Amino acid sequence: MPLYLQDEPPEHFEDSGIIPVAAKYKSPAPIPSQRRRKEKSPRWLRRTRRAIKYIKWRTLLVVTITMLTVIIVAGLVLIADASNRVQSSLSSLQRVVESVRARQGTDLTMTDFNRLQASVTDLSTNLETARKQIAFVGLFASFNPEIEANLATINSAYHLSLAANEMLKGLQPTVFFLVSGDDNNSVVSGAASGSRIVELMQIGQGSVFSAKSYLAAAKDDVAKLDLTRLSASSILNVEGLIQYREQLVQVNDFLTVAPDLLTAVLGLSREQHYLILSQNNDELRPSGGYISTYGWLTVRNGRVTDYSYSPTTATSPNPPPPQMATQIKVPDWWISYGEPIYAAWDGSWYADFPSTADMSMWYYNNGNNPQSPVDGVISIDIVGFEYLLKALGSVTLPDYDLVVTPENFRQVVYDIRASGDGDLPHKRFLATLYQQIFAQWENSNVDPQIRQHLMGAVLQALQEKHIMLHFADSNLNDVTDLLGWSGAQSSSTNHDYLMTADANLGNKSNHSIARDLTYDVDIQADGTLKSRLTVGYDYSQRVAANDPAVDAKHNGPLDYDNLLQIFIPPGSIMGTTTNFPSEPRRVDTASYTNLIAEVTVPFDSSERFQLNYQTPPLIETIGSYHRYRLLVQKQPGTLADTASIQVILPANAKILNVSPSQSASYNLDRPVLEFGLNLKSDVWIEIVYEN
């Protein structure tokens, strides 16, 4: 075949009738690159490629998404199940805690401690199980901030429970010693040996330090969460954990330094000297009462080794040099003194007891009085002494041929004053009585039952601000603040706040006067509060007839002249007032707006003094949630004011959480919550709601 026909296609030959003949020459060699491509395509790959052509990608995508959804939903179910189990354990723990709180401190036993420890352990176990149960869900945490938050809060709660457990373990040797090894004994059975308590608390320090590492881990668990991506409920959970952690940190810090602090307070390393202020709360002052008598005591190795009591006079205790009076800045609205330096001793204008105690220490130390400089101040009022007397049963005063009991205490105290010899014999009698109470207290160590009753009386008086403590050492003051034993006035910034403080200007009638507070709060859309406060006084002749302190002949005029202070949030705007003789004077500080007015309640009458004001924005917003908080503080020395609080929420508000539980709730176009309080101590109210 001619060469020019060799490359012709077969169809050409068919059409031309020419029969092709095999070529004598080879076709050109394949292109090398084509040969390499065929060599790199093994049979299994070619089959795979052919199979891929028949895959339905849309179906595969749907199936994959469905599987992922099932896994995520299963994870959420596990989270919910884990949360339910944890919530059950937490509820059980809360029931135990409330049960323990309901008992007096001196009635607590090793059985109570074991129940508390078992509940914390159960909570830790369930939290650990929950962590393992939902660990795989962490693979999806980066895709869903709510899942991430759930995991973080469970981890944080787990570490907090471990911290609490470690702290309880650290306390176990001390508690075991206090109950003398008997589960049914109270915690004061072995409280006489202060040095042994310190030794046992030092033994438990290893667990206390372990708790510190768990608290740090709990902080890290939630520290990286972006709260702006979370729902309001998740934010509340995180904030709740942060608050719990802060409380546990405070307790842990206290346990860390407790051995050193107890060593100092109990005089285990050196003698400690304390000034005692006996405040007469029948004649109220803002931080307790008029200081009619005072004393000092020396403590060494946990025992009172020396003490003395004296009446207050112009020269007892010795005042500081007159030229030091310029160091005391007395407000121009306070009681006027011929010698201004005495204002530092009289009970002061402060509703904050630590400020009053600091001035008293300054007065006592700079007068070079016995045992000065003192290491701290112990304040006790008439009610506090009544509690101690009730625990002792009776006190015998040989010099007066009297047996003083809780039933005749007030009568004999004021009978001495009514004898006609002035108030100095009355003060001397009180000094003798109080000194004998301390003497019998010291001798009570031989009777465990009386010792237990005395400790119960002291704890009750501390909780109700009838005994207050203040120290020269600021570390000790941190502890008394934590325990609520300092009588300190709290700051009122970032939340609603209310405190009223009377100063009796003329008699000793406060035991017979019932004071009550009515506080109405209307929450506005912009977070401000329209507030109305009514301070009521009921001064009944029927009640006063049984009170030996109400005596116009010996104890001052019958009418109640009162210098009233009302503390509300700083920056509040005043509105109208009712029944005040003149507009209350206003004093602004960074912590409060203080309203001051002199008012009178005639004998056998009732009076109500009312004022209206609007606060700055005080509602905290968390996503779609809102939180209202109110702190109502008790004035030291008062018996137990009643307080009626009404909070009106915005329209359509949905209430999510209320603490403490409201007394009543109803809806009059807007939700309304009512609270009835008995102010034996400070009270917090918190309401969380959603618009």
Side-chain angles (χ1 to χ4, degrees):
M1 180 184 297
L3 290 175
Y4 65 87
L5 294 176
Q6 290 181 4
D7 294 328
E8 290 292 328
E11 294 84 352
H12 175 79
F13 297 120
E14 292 174 357
D15 294 341
S16 62
I18 299 174
I19 300 173
V21 180
K24 294 181 180 179
Y25 301 96
K26 294 182 179 180
S27 299
I31 299 173
S33 62
Q34 291 177 337
R35 286 203 305 268
R36 285 197 298 269
R37 189 180 301 119
K38 290 180 180 179
E39 291 171 359
K40 285 191 174 182
S41 300
R43 181 177 299 175
W44 66 268
L45 181 58
R46 293 196 300 273
R47 289 177 179 176
T48 302
R49 287 174 177 171
R50 285 195 297 269
I52 288 174
K53 294 179 181 179
Y54 298 101
I55 293 177
K56 296 182 179 180
W57 290 103
R58 184 178 301 174
T59 303
L60 179 61
L61 181 61
V62 171
V63 171
T64 303
I65 292 174
T66 302
M67 291 178 64
L68 288 173
T69 303
V70 169
I71 293 173
I72 292 173
V73 170
L76 293 175
V77 170
L78 289 175
I79 289 175
D81 178 63
S83 298
N84 289 335
R85 294 172 61 185
V86 170
Q87 187 61 44
S88 175
S89 295
L90 186 58
S91 298
S92 175
L93 174 60
Q94 288 173 336
R95 286 193 296 270
V96 173
V97 170
E98 291 302 321
S99 172
V100 171
R101 280 181 176 174
R103 306 182 65 180
Q104 285 194 2
T106 54
D107 292 336
L108 298 178
T109 65
M110 191 69 184
T111 299
D112 296 317
F113 182 85
N114 290 337
R115 286 176 58 216
L116 182 60
Q117 193 169 31
S119 294
V120 173
T121 301
D122 179 63
L123 178 61
S124 297
T125 301
N126 280 327
L127 283 167
E128 184 178 21
T129 301
R131 293 174 76 224
K132 293 177 180 178
Q133 183 176 331
I134 63 175
F136 80 95
V137 183
L139 297 172
F140 308 98
S142 59
F143 302 105
N144 189 315
E146 290 297 315
I147 292 178
E148 182 184 22
N150 273 322
L151 292 172
T153 52
I154 287 178
N155 286 333
S156 183
Y158 174 64
H159 288 126
L160 289 178
S161 68
L162 292 179
N165 215 357
E166 287 296 324
M167 284 187 273
L168 290 173
K169 283 169 58 179
L171 280 172
Q172 197 165 19
T174 305
V175 175
F176 186 79
F177 170 73
L178 289 174
V179 301
S180 302
D182 188 335
D183 285 355
N184 296 316
N185 276 352
S186 68
V187 293
V188 298
S189 298
S193 178
S195 58
R196 183 56 180 160
I197 291 174
V198 170
E199 291 171 354
L200 292 172
M201 293 196 77
Q202 289 172 335
I203 291 174
Q205 285 297 293
S207 293
V208 173
F209 283 115
S210 295
K212 188 170 294 187
S213 64
Y214 288 127
L215 290 170
K219 180 180 180 180
D220 293 339
D221 289 330
V222 296
K224 295 181 180 179
L225 290 176
D226 183 358
L227 300 185
T228 62
R229 302 176 62 202
L230 300 182
S231 66
S233 59
S234 293
I235 295 174
L236 284 175
N237 288 337
V238 172
E239 288 200 340
L241 284 171
I242 292 173
Q243 290 176 4
Y244 286 135
R245 180 188 170 277
E246 289 174 351
Q247 293 172 11
L248 287 175
V249 166
Q250 287 182 319
V251 174
N252 190 256
D253 289 345
F254 164 63
L255 293 177
T256 300
V257 299
D260 294 336
L261 295 182
L262 286 174
T263 297
V265 171
L266 299 176
L268 300 181
S269 58
R270 68 170 182 86
E271 284 187 340
Q272 296 287 300
H273 306 292
Y274 298 108
L275 172 64
I276 303 172
L277 301 179
S278 296
Q279 301 200 75
N280 185 352
N281 56 327
D282 285 346
E283 186 177 347
L284 270 178
R285 291 291 187 269
S287 55
Y290 169 68
I291 302 172
S292 59
T293 59
Y294 72 97
W296 56 264
L297 58 83
T298 298
V299 177
R300 184 73 171 104
N301 293 326
R303 300 183 67 86
V304 176
T305 58
D306 199 5
Y307 54 87
S308 179
Y309 238 86
S310 304
T312 291
T313 67
T315 58
S316 175
N318 296 323
Q323 60 268 26
M324 297 187 71
T326 56
Q327 298 182 26
I328 300 296
K329 305 299 182 184
V330 183
D332 58 6
W333 50 265
W334 184 240
I335 302 169
S336 297
Y337 293 86
E339 296 290 339
I341 202 164
Y342 292 121
W345 185 258
D346 187 45
S348 101
W349 55 92
Y350 290 110
D352 175 67
F353 175 71
S355 298
T356 296
D358 279 334
M359 283 206 303
S360 298
M361 281 198 294
W362 174 88
Y363 185 99
Y364 191 83
N365 292 338
N366 284 290
N368 294 318
N369 286 283
Q371 312 304 325
S372 62
V374 293
D375 297 291
V377 177
I378 302 171
S379 166
I380 181 169
D381 63 21
I382 287 179
V383 175
F385 275 113
E386 285 180 320
Y387 288 168
L388 296 180
L389 187 57
K390 185 177 180 180
L392 290 170
S394 65
V395 170
T396 301
L397 302 179
D399 293 345
Y400 290 86
D401 193 24
L402 277 175
V403 176
V404 182
T405 66
E407 291 73 27
N408 69 4
F409 170 71
R410 292 179 59 81
Q411 190 67 50
V412 298
V413 164
Y414 285 102
D415 280 351
I416 298 293
R417 189 181 184 93
S419 64
D421 296 326
D423 65 350
L424 186 56
H426 162 79
K427 292 180 179 181
R428 286 174 177 163
F429 172 78
L430 282 177
T432 302
L433 173 61
Y434 294 162
Q435 184 158 318
Q436 188 61 31
I437 287 175
F438 279 114
Q440 288 192 207
W441 184 353
E442 182 65 15
N443 294 331
S444 70
N445 285 327
V446 298
D447 189 332
Q449 187 174 12
I450 293 179
R451 184 170 69 241
Q452 179 176 345
H453 290 161
L454 279 169
M455 291 297 293
V458 170
L459 286 174
Q460 181 181 359
L462 284 166
Q463 291 163 357
E464 297 178 4
K465 299 188 184 181
H466 296 301
I467 293 179
M468 295 174 287
L469 308 176
H470 184 70
F471 298 94
D473 185 338
S474 61
N475 291 322
L476 291 174
N477 291 328
D478 290 340
V479 174
T480 57
D481 282 341
L482 174 64
L483 297 173
W485 297 350
S486 67
Q489 187 177 9
S490 299
S491 172
S492 66
T493 55
N494 302 321
H495 58 80
D496 200 5
Y497 179 84
L498 178 61
M499 182 179 186
T500 58
D502 283 12
N504 187 327
L505 299 179
N507 61 27
K508 301 185 185 299
S509 59
N510 284 105
H511 189 79
S512 295
I513 297 175
R515 185 176 69 178
D516 64 86
L517 309 176
T518 303
Y519 184 48
D520 302 316
V521 184
D522 188 341
I523 299 176
Q524 304 298 293
D526 60 357
T528 61
L529 309 175
K530 284 188 176 180
S531 300
R532 180 177 62 201
L533 172 66
T534 305
V535 184
Y537 295 89
D538 185 14
Y539 186 11
S540 167
Q541 189 275 338
R542 179 178 54 82
V543 175
N546 299 314
D547 185 355
V550 181
D551 183 340
K553 183 177 180 181
H554 302 289
N555 299 332
L558 292 179
D559 291 349
Y560 180 49
D561 291 324
N562 173 30
L563 187 58
L564 171 64
Q565 295 183 69
I566 300 173
F567 297 90
I568 60 177
S572 295
I573 300 172
M574 291 305 302
T576 59
T577 62
T578 303
N579 203 32
F580 286 92
S582 59
E583 282 298 304
R585 180 166 180 174
R586 177 180 181 134
V587 176
D588 287 299
T589 68
S591 297
Y592 323 97
T593 290
N594 186 9
L595 305 173
I596 306 151
E598 188 171 340
V599 298
T600 298
V601 182
F603 179 68
D604 197 22
S605 71
S606 297
E607 293 288 347
R608 288 164 58 87
F609 305 95
Q610 189 175 93
L611 52 87
N612 295 271
Y613 56 93
Q614 185 160 355
T615 74
L618 294 175
I619 301 299
E620 184 180 0
T621 300
I622 307 169
S624 61
Y625 289 7
H626 306 278
R627 178 161 56 192
Y628 167 76
R629 294 191 302 150
L630 166 67
L631 172 60
V632 184
Q633 284 206 273
K634 174 190 177 179
Q635 177 184 359
T638 53
L639 298 179
D641 292 345
T642 58
S644 176
I645 313 295
Q646 182 188 87
V647 182
I648 303 175
L649 301 176
N652 302 318
K654 178 183 177 182
I655 299 170
L656 302 175
N657 186 58
V658 180
S659 176
S661 298
Q662 67 270 25
S663 304
S665 62
Y666 43 89
N667 199 315
L668 300 175
D669 297 327
R670 295 167 62 185
V672 180
L673 297 178
E674 299 268 6
F675 300 86
L677 307 179
N678 192 5
L679 294 179
K680 290 186 176 181
S681 58
D682 300 342
V683 177
W684 275 98
I685 291 176
E686 179 177 282
I687 303 170
V688 179
Y689 62 93
E690 183 177 22
N691 281 337

